[in-house]
Amino acid sequence: MSTPTSKASQPLIFELGQEGRANRYLEEGKPLESFLPKSVLRDDLPLPDNSELDVVRHYTRLSHRTFGIDLGFYPLGSCTMKYNPRVNDAIAMRPEFAQLHPYTPDELAQGALQVMYELERSLSSLFGMAAFSLNPSAGAHAELGALLIAKKYFKERGETQRDKVIVPDTAHGTNPASAAMCGFKVISLPSSERGRVGVEEIRAILGPDTAVCMMTNPNTLGLFEDDIAAIAAAVHEAGGLMYYDGANANAIMGYARPGDMGFDLMHLNTHKTFTIPHGGGGAGHGPLGVAAHLVEYLPTPVVAASPRPNGETGAAPSDRLTFSLDFDRPKSIGPLRSFWSNFAHAVRALAYLYANGAEGLKRVSQLAVLNANYLRVNIAEFLETPYVEVCRHEFVASAQALKRDHGVRALDLAKALLDYGYMAPTIYFPLIVPECLMIEPTETESKETLDGFVAALREIVEQAKSNPQALFDAPVTTVVGRVDETRAARQPDLRWRPPSVAHQNEVS
Amino acid sequence: MYAPHTQRDIEQMLGAIGIESLDDLLRVPNDIALKAKLDVVPALPEYQIQRRFDRFAEKNAGVEYRSFLGAGSYRHYAPPAIAALAMRGEFLTAYTPYQAEVSQGYLQAIYEWQTYICLLTGMDIANASVYDGATALAEAAIMALGTTGRHKILVSRALHPNYRAVLRTYCDGLDVSVDEIAFDENGTTDLAALAHAVESKEYAAVALQSPNFFGIVDTLTQSALDAVNASGTIPIAVVAEALSLAAFAPPSSWGAQIVAGEAQSFGVAQAYGGPYAGFIASTQEHMRRIPGRLVGKSVDNAGRTAYVLTLQAREQHIRRERATSNICTNQAHCALIATIYLALMGKTGLRDAAALNLARSRELASAVANVDGATLKYAAPFFNEFVVDVGAPAEGVLASLQALGILGGVDLGRWYPELQSCILMTATELTTSADINALAAALDGAINVHAHI
């Protein structure tokens, strides 16, 4: 049996336990044959029986083999890995929220609807949109919803020839993938030497076939698109719509709003900007915002509010309202998911808004941008930063020179950082920067943490010059070394099989 | 705002950057700079935030009611050990496991999840999760569209109305039409109509839910499967109540090639609809079209067992507009919760849970059937929910029950005009005999009132 710190691999849950070693959570059930004809029943249920203690040890040990924000600095660009306040989880897990059935009649779920209403109203003001839908489950899901809105909008205007979506070459991969899921053709727009979208360049590709221009601002290089008003005007003049990818919204709160920049559609990732835990890759939560002319296309349902009939007064304006889920939206694109929202995340996001208020959110963006620039100027002393100017919440560095002179790639720097107890930055993205490291510190990290990270990266870069082999071997302190990804892809092993079946497969 | 900066820190850092003020760092062009006054909820200290949410919590009285609601979201027992493990910060605050060396634990847990889903569905492979059951169906349909090159999807009308609506939303984007097959007087899909429809060879896939929206086993017979296969149509099975997999023959046994499902029943909170845990499983031949993340087992540079995200050439961050799906963030943490639930329950616990759902729902069914004016609409085998015809507008009957502190079920007239007098009622292992007796007594009175209006 391995100990938590040992590098010995942890057995799979299927390799543990004994049949009949049951935990008595429920009464013993009668044989299934007493309820149903044998013809509809399964023959076997090949799952392991484990004691609760063994299960607790197993997953506790797996947790020890997993790195999260709670363990250390997580400078993953475009992912906004800030501290996830525990109070948000405590509130979301309260039974009045966690045990509420989605088909609970509106009058018995007024608290849940009020949470959604307050979040929706606050986000609309904060980002200058007419309304938000809390329906989408993640950023990419909201992109899909937004492009479906655009498609329907143009169809109703008789402009079905608008089949092109413009995506800058610095965009997240989800942008072109979402466009393709709506049948749009993607036009990739190269960035200027300033790392931005150029007004003349975009004018050159606009036309009667332009549907949507999808932009991130600040973009994934961490640079603010300062020509955004002119770009939006040009797209609108051509009859197209502007879409704002809100992955980088942590940089603008209290200073600029997508609505004021000219965007018609946008999404937020509350699992980035508003401290929802990423949970190892979800669940996310992607509110979808629209300008006034697109409100009626939002996914169903939306939360509707009306004054309370008995005129009760309360502490906050929303306390004087009564709420309902509105499904009767003739122009809506329809629902994007089984039920109304990733509601537990709406609770967390609203709790975070209450912890900040408008002034606090402005402070959040200030300190996120301060941290990024502090890292940028310190790292620029020993690593190339291709765009030498004030950045926003993130910036890019490049290992191009190290690769040319010493054969050390961005990947090697990333792996070496793991040995220092840091998560690696995003690497090889955006695609236009060779040997790219994309670094986003967020506002919740202290100066001491940033100084420690800079010192570690400096040491690694020095080692890249003096002893590159050490970096090729990194990481060495982790429970495993570099994983053979080629083998994983060429001989896919995507599941455990019971020994007898596995044996049969080998024989055949 | 959870930021640790002292004034001194800020001054030192601005000095290092060579900038005077924070405003200088964040300045944007004048024409777009914020001018409006922001209307955001006010800042509160933490204990006041809790009090504010106390007020919201009080207004969710529905959680106190005796509930017979199901229809895609189920109340099951979740051992506290699940939360104790899943809420560990290492799991909760990790990102998608791109850096395999420091993510072995999570990757292994997802590999275990993929295995559990395969073992339960009888499929060869399963992905690392999708948003929920409805989007799982939509993504499964897209897999079939890609495989067959066809432009139509066939779906049973006995499949969850919300799932069908989401399928339609996704298909609208792709200019794909969705046709529906009726259900018959048994409450199951009209297989003769299905077999006839697929003969056109226009459908990429045909989707059936089992147990279906009415709680009934609804699968392809051999002859219907033969017709589906002969037409080159891909059979998709939808599972909205994953616990039923512990009792019923797996979808592989009736020929499903893709299974799209919802694993909320495995320990995931109902939470007014999300987040839940969607899954997609399939036969081996569909491996390269499956959407989202896949965890594979490999070795590290010292030959040790190691797990890693694999077959990423399907995904949006590599293939962009040619990806199999746009999904990026999925539902990893809900999948982890489900995995821990399955590990704790085990074969024995899962069988017990299934048997108790069968027992309590039958106790409920016979109590309701004994009420004057109420009849069970369908006779076919069901899992933990079934349709009751109350012989009066269901909406009114449910309102009367609600006045007595009972959420009697889901009004089927909401989606099926021909079922205006029908209620979908659910009982799980957590439904008590007292709940059932209270419902039966209240139903008697409610039907009496509404049948005579």
Side-chain angles (χ1 to χ4, degrees):
Chain A
M1 189 57 75
S2 63
T3 61
T5 51
S6 110
K7 290 196 177 186
S9 69
Q10 194 60 28
L12 290 163
I13 192 76
F14 308 99
E15 297 163 334
L16 302 168
Q18 296 289 339
E19 184 162 350
R21 186 173 286 162
N23 300 308
R24 212 16 81 214
Y25 298 122
L26 305 170
E27 299 92 329
E28 217 167 300
K30 285 187 191 163
L32 301 181
E33 296 79 17
S34 52
F35 304 103
L36 289 165
K38 205 157 174 22
S39 58
V40 304
L41 293 175
R42 65 189 301 152
D43 303 328
D44 187 27
L45 187 63
L47 309 184
D49 275 339
N50 277 291
S51 71
E52 180 165 309
L53 176 58
D54 283 345
V55 173
V56 168
R57 283 194 180 140
H58 179 69
Y59 290 102
T60 302
R61 285 173 182 167
L62 293 190
S63 79
H64 290 171
R65 298 162 76 86
T66 304
F67 187 92
I69 298 168
D70 285 5
L71 279 170
F73 184 42
Y74 220 116
L76 202 60
S78 262
C79 298
T80 315
M81 296 297 280
K82 55 171 85 175
Y83 173 61
N84 305 144
R86 286 305 190 275
V87 66
N88 300 351
D89 298 323
I91 294 170
M93 290 171 77
R94 291 179 60 150
E96 298 90 339
F97 302 120
Q99 294 176 13
L100 193 65
H101 192 285
Y103 286 129
T104 304
D106 291 346
E107 58 272 27
L108 302 179
Q110 286 294 299
L113 293 169
Q114 191 173 359
V115 166
M116 292 168 73
Y117 175 83
E118 286 203 345
L119 178 60
E120 188 274 325
R121 286 290 83 209
S122 292
L123 295 180
S124 295
S125 174
L126 191 53
F127 294 96
M129 307 307 282
F132 269 86
S133 162
L134 304 181
N135 199 237
S137 315
H141 205 204
E143 290 175 14
L144 174 65
L147 291 167
L148 288 169
I149 288 174
K151 185 166 176 147
K152 189 152 192 183
Y153 172 76
F154 289 127
K155 191 174 174 185
E156 294 197 347
R157 291 166 63 95
E159 300 177 43
T160 48
Q161 86 287 355
R162 294 193 180 275
D163 63 349
K164 304 280 190 312
V165 168
I166 299 167
V167 177
D169 57 6
T170 53
H172 298 107
T174 51
N175 292 179
S178 301
M181 282 179 80
C182 297
F184 288 117
K185 294 185 186 70
V186 176
I187 302 186
S188 181
L189 180 64
S191 303
S192 70
E193 74 284 355
R194 291 182 63 237
R196 291 166 167 91
V197 171
V199 182
E200 288 319 307
E201 286 79 356
I202 198 161
R203 269 190 209 284
I205 56 171
L206 288 171
D209 60 351
T210 300
V212 182
C213 173
M214 303 180 82
M215 288 181 64
T216 310
N217 194 18
N219 63 27
T220 60
L221 299 168
L223 303 175
F224 195 83
E225 298 278 1
D226 33 25
D227 287 332
I228 191 64
I231 292 167
V235 170
H236 287 149
E237 202 177 307
L241 294 171
M242 289 290 290
Y243 180 81
Y244 181 88
D245 175 338
N248 296 346
N250 211 40
I252 60 162
M253 290 185 291
Y255 282 90
R257 308 192 299 176
D260 299 333
M261 296 179 206
F263 286 95
D264 307 288
L265 296 146
M266 71 170 290
H267 84 257
L268 291 164
N269 305 79
T270 63
H271 52 293
K272 296 179 181 180
T273 318
F274 300 108
T275 68
I276 312 296
H278 279 73
H285 182 228
L288 162 57
V290 289
H293 57 295
L294 299 174
V295 170
E296 54 193 345
Y297 296 92
L298 281 175
T300 47
V302 301
V303 177
S306 53
R308 265 173 193 269
N310 56 9
E312 186 210 329
T313 55
S318 70
D319 294 339
R320 299 190 281 273
L321 299 171
T322 181
F323 307 95
S324 61
L325 286 175
D326 182 7
F327 293 86
D328 186 19
R329 314 266 301 173
K331 283 198 171 184
S332 165
I333 57 165
L336 286 166
R337 62 199 309 282
S338 302
F339 297 110
W340 334 136
S341 178
N342 274 348
F343 170 74
H345 285 356
V347 172
R348 289 180 170 93
L350 184 64
Y352 180 70
L353 291 189
Y354 269 114
N356 288 284
E359 276 307 304
L361 293 168
K362 179 177 182 179
R363 195 68 170 166
V364 162
S365 285
Q366 287 177 338
L367 297 176
V369 173
L370 177 72
N371 275 3
N373 278 286
Y374 181 72
L375 274 189
R376 179 181 60 81
V377 295
N378 279 287
I379 287 172
E381 290 178 8
F382 53 85
L383 204 58
E384 188 188 350
T385 52
Y387 301 93
V388 184
E389 58 174 299
V390 166
C391 67
R392 302 291 159 153
H393 67 302
E394 67 188 0
F395 67 99
V396 292
S398 169
Q400 196 175 12
L402 284 178
K403 187 185 173 195
R404 184 188 61 225
D405 301 337
H406 307 281
V408 172
R409 298 170 298 159
L411 177 74
D412 303 314
L413 301 183
K415 296 302 183 193
L417 277 167
L418 303 179
D419 276 334
Y420 283 82
Y422 298 107
M423 179 50 76
T426 298
I427 50 175
Y428 300 105
F429 185 85
L431 307 174
I432 61 164
V433 177
E435 296 301 321
C436 185
L437 296 115
M438 184 198 206
I439 301 172
E440 178 181 8
T442 84
E443 73 284 359
T444 59
E445 299 297 339
S446 66
K447 180 173 175 295
E448 297 91 306
T449 299
L450 302 183
D451 288 340
F453 178 73
V454 169
L457 193 54
R458 186 192 299 272
E459 216 171 288
I460 291 165
V461 169
E462 277 163 17
Q463 199 171 29
K465 297 169 183 167
S466 61
N467 178 17
Q469 186 57 46
L471 300 194
F472 303 149
D473 295 336
V476 294
T477 60
T478 48
V479 293
V480 297
R482 291 197 199 183
V483 182
D484 188 342
E485 296 187 21
T486 309
R487 171 174 153 153
R490 293 224 175 118
Q491 304 163 45
D493 174 352
L494 307 176
R495 57 170 295 191
W496 172 87
R497 285 176 190 277
S500 58
V501 179
H503 180 67
Q504 278 168 18
N505 280 5
E506 277 162 33
V507 174
S508 65
Chain B
M1 73 206 101
Y2 308 101
H5 301 66
T6 64
Q7 195 51 41
R8 204 180 111 109
D9 289 337
I10 293 170
E11 282 159 17
Q12 283 185 353
M13 292 166 82
L14 283 172
I17 299 164
I19 287 275
E20 294 259 320
S21 74
L22 291 169
D23 280 338
D24 289 339
L25 275 181
L26 283 97
R27 182 155 294 124
V28 298
N30 245 333
D31 52 351
I32 58 154
L34 179 68
K35 289 162 194 88
K37 186 180 178 319
L38 297 180
D39 185 14
V40 175
V41 295
L44 298 174
E46 189 168 297
Y47 84 104
Q48 292 281 14
I49 298 172
Q50 299 251 36
R51 285 189 185 166
R52 181 74 183 136
F53 280 84
D54 285 345
R55 191 173 164 90
F56 299 142
E58 279 166 21
K59 293 202 245 177
N60 289 339
V63 294
E64 304 294 336
Y65 281 47
R66 296 186 195 272
S67 174
F68 299 88
L69 296 171
S73 177
Y74 301 95
R75 185 170 61 117
H76 291 300
Y77 183 69
I82 299 172
L85 293 165
M87 295 306 284
R88 290 183 63 85
E90 300 90 329
F91 290 136
L92 194 66
T93 69
Y95 197 74
T96 302
Y98 294 128
Q99 298 294 338
E101 298 87 344
V102 289
S103 311
Q104 282 300 297
Y106 219 127
L107 286 161
Q108 181 173 334
I110 296 299
Y111 181 88
E112 292 178 352
W113 150 266
Q114 292 173 181
T115 302
Y116 270 121
I117 295 301
C118 289
L119 294 172
L120 286 164
T121 58
M123 291 287 115
D124 297 320
I125 57 166
N127 76 357
S129 73
V130 289
Y131 304 133
D132 60 15
T135 62
L137 169 61
E139 295 270 12
I142 291 171
M143 289 170 70
L145 293 168
T147 301
T148 60
R150 297 177 182 177
H151 297 283
K152 289 172 90 172
I153 300 288
L154 192 59
V155 59
S156 166
R157 200 158 164 265
L159 199 148
H160 199 304
N162 293 11
Y163 288 28
R164 280 184 282 135
V166 173
L167 175 66
R168 228 171 280 123
T169 303
Y170 273 65
C171 284
D172 280 351
L174 296 165
D175 299 313
V176 165
S177 58
V178 178
D179 292 341
E180 298 188 343
I181 327 159
F183 54 87
D184 57 23
E185 68 283 359
N186 302 316
T188 52
T189 307
D190 183 343
L191 294 181
L194 183 151
H196 181 68
V198 295
E199 274 175 19
S200 67
K201 299 193 179 181
E202 287 182 330
Y203 294 105
V206 56
L208 270 77
Q209 177 181 333
S210 184
N212 67 17
F213 188 61
F214 308 127
I216 305 167
V217 178
D218 193 0
T219 58
L220 292 178
T221 56
Q222 188 59 51
S223 63
L225 176 65
D226 289 344
V228 167
N229 284 338
S231 67
T233 311
I234 294 174
I236 296 174
V238 171
V239 181
E241 168 46 299
L243 186 62
S244 69
L245 291 167
F248 291 126
S252 58
S253 68
W254 54 268
Q257 292 181 31
I258 306 174
V259 182
E262 171 61 72
Q264 177 271 326
S265 286
F266 296 154
V268 179
Q270 292 185 276
Y272 203 50
Y276 291 173
F279 62 83
I280 293 187
S282 77
T283 53
Q284 189 68 34
E285 60 186 301
H286 297 292
M287 181 175 74
R288 288 181 199 276
R289 289 205 181 266
I290 207 163
R293 316 285 186 197
L294 286 170
V295 174
K297 188 176 178 183
S298 184
V299 292
D300 77 349
N301 52 8
R304 290 173 292 210
T305 294
Y307 301 88
V308 67
L309 292 174
T310 193
L311 300 175
Q312 296 190 66
R314 302 163 297 109
E315 292 190 62
Q316 47 78 26
H317 60 289
I318 307 289
R319 183 140 314 168
R320 298 175 80 84
E321 63 266 29
R322 293 188 307 282
T324 56
S325 166
N326 70 337
I327 193 167
C328 179
T329 293
N330 51 37
Q331 306 285 118
H333 198 251
C334 298
L336 174 73
I337 287 169
T339 304
I340 297 170
Y341 172 89
L342 290 165
L344 290 165
M345 297 293 282
K347 170 182 177 165
T348 305
L350 219 56
R351 285 257 186 197
D352 286 340
L356 290 166
N357 277 260
L358 289 162
R360 301 274 153 84
S361 56
R362 275 145 189 77
E363 185 185 337
L364 174 66
S366 62
V368 168
N370 277 334
V371 173
D372 262 355
T375 48
L376 302 185
K377 179 89 176 162
Y378 306 117
F382 60 91
F383 182 59
N384 61 4
E385 50 196 337
F386 53 87
V387 178
V388 182
D389 191 334
V390 292
E395 198 181 353
V397 171
L398 286 169
S400 296
L401 297 177
Q402 193 179 318
L404 297 169
I406 297 169
L407 299 176
V410 173
D411 171 11
L412 289 173
R414 181 170 174 169
W415 304 281
Y416 301 95
E418 70 273 39
L419 300 178
Q420 298 280 357
S421 63
C422 291
I423 298 171
L424 182 68
M425 289 188 181
T426 307
T428 70
E429 74 277 17
L430 296 179
T431 307
T432 64
S433 295
D435 293 335
I436 291 170
N437 294 339
L439 173 75
L443 190 60
D444 193 46
I447 290 177
N448 245 319
V449 170
H450 290 276
H452 298 107
I453 290 174

